[in-house]
Amino acid sequence: MLLTLAFLFFIGSLIGWGIEVLFRRLFSAHHWMNPGFLVGPYLPLYGFSLVTLYLLAGLEDYLSIETTWI
């Protein structure tokens, strides 16, 4: 479980950094810049977000919400 969370954190941080760099290059700053406060190609905000979504998705079995489609 810990390795899964670490992998998701790393992948989310890396992909989020890449998307934000491209967005800032194309739409905002019009030059290449590192959007993060750390040295390297990762933003922890996106890593924590992906891990949180993964953990929340794991709670689906424990929720007592019934969906009825009419």
Side-chain angles (χ1 to χ4, degrees):
M1 181 69 170
L2 183 64
L3 287 177
T4 302
L5 294 177
F7 178 74
L8 286 173
F9 179 82
F10 177 72
I11 292 299
S13 297
L14 189 65
I15 291 174
W17 177 84
I19 291 171
E20 188 161 339
V21 164
L22 288 175
F23 179 80
R24 286 185 181 215
R25 169 68 173 114
L26 297 174
F27 298 109
S28 180
H30 300 294
H31 65 277
W32 296 106
M33 62 181 291
N34 186 7
F37 61 92
L38 299 173
V39 177
Y42 43 85
L43 286 171
L45 172 71
Y46 299 114
F48 284 123
S49 300
L50 187 61
V51 168
T52 301
L53 288 175
Y54 177 77
L55 292 174
L56 287 174
L59 295 176
E60 184 179 10
D61 297 335
Y62 302 109
L63 297 176
S64 62
I65 299 174
E66 294 183 21
T67 54
T68 57
W69 298 94
I70 298 175

